[in-house]
Amino acid sequence: MDLLQTLSEQWAAQSYWELLAVVLAIGYVWLAARQNIWCWPCALVSTGIYSWLFWAHTLPLQTLLNVYYLGMAVYGWWHWRAMADHEPGRVQTRSNTYHLLAVVVLLPLSLVIGWSLQSYFNNEHLYVDALVTVFSLFTTYLVTQKVLENWLYWLAINSLAAWLYWQTGLYLTALLFVGYLGFALYGYLKWRSSYLAQDAHAIG
């Protein structure tokens, strides 16, 4: 009952800007899953709003992550337009070795960053914050390159992010990221279908 009341109060307390950020964040994932270039303008506005929100809730790495997203939104728009001129809609993959190496490098890097920030920020969730941030940086780049496996990374990242936001009292944002899990699965299936279709076309 207390949780429902808290969610109700948070919903009532939301600004129109925060509601806009949520709607555009959903729009970004939905459009990205459909390989629609307009996902990037949605990301640009949504992450600009969230940059301020996360700073206000003492999540410094999430703030920096969203500032990074701003730049990647511009780069993603430019790169997808360039790809459309040469290989429209082409989805790529990376080898298992590539992904294993990425995890081996990014996991300890996340832990080191979380440890190094303990002296500057009083937040018991810095390690999770660091994990979500570092892997999101990498995975967002995979999205700009249309790498199929990005959606599998997002399944893990969004699960951690949902837990993090729930623990810090951002319940509505936590629920948004739970919803992202469904979008990540949808995106993977859509991109995998495109990847198989383009391979079949190449063989034919």
Side-chain angles (χ1 to χ4, degrees):
M1 190 65 179
D2 289 339
L3 176 58
L4 291 176
Q5 182 178 353
T6 301
L7 289 172
S8 177
E9 290 173 353
Q10 285 199 3
W11 179 264
Q14 285 186 114
S15 68
Y16 289 111
W17 286 110
E18 187 176 351
L19 287 172
L20 177 62
V22 170
V23 170
L24 290 175
I26 294 172
Y28 160 72
V29 180
W30 172 257
L31 292 171
R34 302 180 69 83
Q35 298 186 61
N36 187 312
I37 196 172
W38 286 98
C39 67
W40 298 113
C42 288
L44 185 70
V45 178
S46 179
T47 55
I49 298 170
Y50 268 122
S51 296
W52 169 81
L53 179 64
F54 289 135
W55 181 259
H57 284 79
T58 321
L59 292 172
L61 293 181
Q62 293 302 298
T63 303
L64 291 175
L65 175 61
N66 276 268
V67 171
Y68 166 80
Y69 283 160
L70 289 171
M72 292 305 286
V74 175
Y75 171 73
W77 170 271
W78 172 81
H79 189 67
W80 279 29
R81 287 194 64 183
M83 290 177 70
D85 293 335
H86 304 288
E87 298 178 306
R90 184 163 186 82
V91 176
Q92 308 177 58
T93 62
R94 296 290 185 267
S95 68
N96 291 335
T97 302
Y98 174 92
H99 294 297
L100 178 61
L101 180 61
V103 172
V104 167
V105 171
L106 297 177
L107 184 58
L109 176 62
S110 302
L111 297 177
V112 169
I113 291 175
W115 175 80
S116 65
L117 289 176
Q118 286 184 319
S119 301
Y120 302 98
F121 295 96
N122 183 24
N123 190 324
E124 60 181 315
H125 305 303
L126 278 174
Y127 285 103
V128 178
D129 191 4
L131 279 169
V132 170
T133 300
V134 170
F135 276 88
S136 294
L137 292 172
F138 171 70
T139 306
T140 301
Y141 174 75
L142 295 184
V143 178
T144 68
Q145 303 304 302
K146 288 197 174 182
V147 175
L148 171 64
E149 295 84 7
N150 88 84
W151 298 106
L152 300 179
Y153 283 97
W154 286 127
L155 285 171
I157 293 168
N158 292 336
S159 297
L160 274 178
W163 180 87
L164 174 65
Y165 300 145
W166 190 273
Q167 294 299 314
T168 53
L170 292 168
Y171 299 121
L172 292 173
T173 302
L175 292 177
L176 171 65
F177 274 74
V178 170
Y180 277 173
L181 295 174
F183 281 117
L185 180 59
Y186 172 75
Y188 177 77
L189 294 175
K190 288 284 290 184
W191 282 34
R192 185 173 182 272
S193 177
S194 295
Y195 178 74
L196 294 176
Q198 69 197 23
D199 273 8
H201 179 72
I203 294 173

